């Protein structure tokens, strides 16, 4: 939404000025040619540009394939929102491969992994003995309310109440792991 507004506002300003030579910039729309095949983002190399996921055009096939493989509503996840939500986790977690454990364990590859199995992190016995595997459902419950899922664990995080925020941040964990 916002980028489109930012593009259109100067165009309106120009139109309002009424200069007879100023017509053309306003007519440049963002719709592009809908017949062109793959969206072909400018930066195909390097990390996924999560910021543009809302437009659905520039995430590249890898991120979309990962989202599709998660199934269900995860295919509609908003990775830009996931990245935003992950900022709340970043005070305690790194996500990059080989990232350091800080207050919490590094989360690279956590989706699908047994709970408390990251190397060299001192997990609580509660989490170690939980027997959980971090699939989409257990992650969702954990991020919503870690204490309810594993009483006595050491993650002091109030939880994300909004189901879409949880979906998006979990999708972000999966995509960042798979595409890095
Ligand atoms: C205040 C610090 C803190 C915040 C904020 C935090 N965590 Fe944690 N997290 C921890 C700690 C500490 C543990 C280990 C808990 C234990 O051993 O009982 C943990 C564990 C986890 C685990 C289990 C890892 C494993 O290998 O079993 C996941 C998944 C996780 N956090 C995800 C998140 C997400 C997603 C967010 C943000 C929405 C978040 N955390 C926010 C501190 C935090």
């Amino acid at each position: 939404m916002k980028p489109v507004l930012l593009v259109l506002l100067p165009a309106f300003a120009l139109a309002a000025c009424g200069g007879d030579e100023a017509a053309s910039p306003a007519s440049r729309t963002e719709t592009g040619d809908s017949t062109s095949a793959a969206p072909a983002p400018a930066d195909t190399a390097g990390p996924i540009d999560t910021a543009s996921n809302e437009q659905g055009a520039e995430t590249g096939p890898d991120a979309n394939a990962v989202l599709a493989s998660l199934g269900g509503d995860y295919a509609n996840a908003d990775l830009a929102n996931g990245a935003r939500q992950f900022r709340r986790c970043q005070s305690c977690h790194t996500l990059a491969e080989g990232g350091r454990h800080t207050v919490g364990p590094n989360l690279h590859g956590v989706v699908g992994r047994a709970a408390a199995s990251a190397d060299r992190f001192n997990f609580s016995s509660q989490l170690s003995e939980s027997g959980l595997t971090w699939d989409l459902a257990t992650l969702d419950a954990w991020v919503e309310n870690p204490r309810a899922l594993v009483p006595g664990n050491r993650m002091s995080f109030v939880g994300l109440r909004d189901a879409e925020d949880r979906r998006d941040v979990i999708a972000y964990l999966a995509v960042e792991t798979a595409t890095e």
Side-chain angles (χ1 to χ4, degrees):
M1 269 330 220
K2 284 208 185 89
V4 176
L5 278 178
L6 288 177
V7 169
L8 289 183
L9 280 177
F12 284 135
L14 274 176
C17 288
D20 39 28
E21 78 283 358
S24 55
S27 61
R28 252 182 59 210
T29 68
E30 291 297 292
T31 49
D33 177 8
S34 56
T35 60
S36 64
D43 52 336
T44 45
I48 297 298
D49 181 5
T50 53
S52 40
N53 170 259
E54 270 168 307
Q55 307 300 318
E58 295 184 29
T59 43
D62 290 348
N64 287 330
V66 174
L67 293 181
S69 74
L70 296 176
D73 197 32
Y74 284 89
N76 304 317
D78 176 350
L79 293 176
N81 184 47
R84 258 194 317 277
Q85 297 305 322
F86 190 70
R87 289 197 201 129
R88 306 183 193 212
C89 324
Q90 264 170 337
S91 47
C92 300
H93 291 287
T94 62
L95 181 54
E97 184 168 16
R100 289 194 311 148
H101 300 317
T102 55
V103 177
N106 170 261
L107 292 180
H108 191 84
V110 77
V111 183
R113 195 159 72 194
S117 59
D119 271 353
R120 287 169 310 185
F121 183 82
N122 188 20
F123 288 97
S124 65
S125 54
Q126 285 83 353
L127 190 59
S128 303
E129 292 160 13
S130 67
L132 290 173
T133 295
W134 294 127
D135 58 26
L136 299 172
T138 50
L139 278 170
D140 186 71
W142 176 257
V143 171
E144 181 175 20
N145 187 343
R147 277 189 192 159
L149 184 68
V150 183
N153 85 82
R154 276 205 289 269
M155 173 157 137
S156 357
F157 179 67
V158 62
L160 296 180
R161 292 288 169 259
D162 186 282
E164 289 192 353
D165 287 345
R166 297 197 299 275
R167 174 198 68 187
D168 294 347
V169 80
I170 292 165
Y172 179 73
L173 294 178
V175 166
E176 287 295 301
T177 294
T179 58
E180 225 167 62

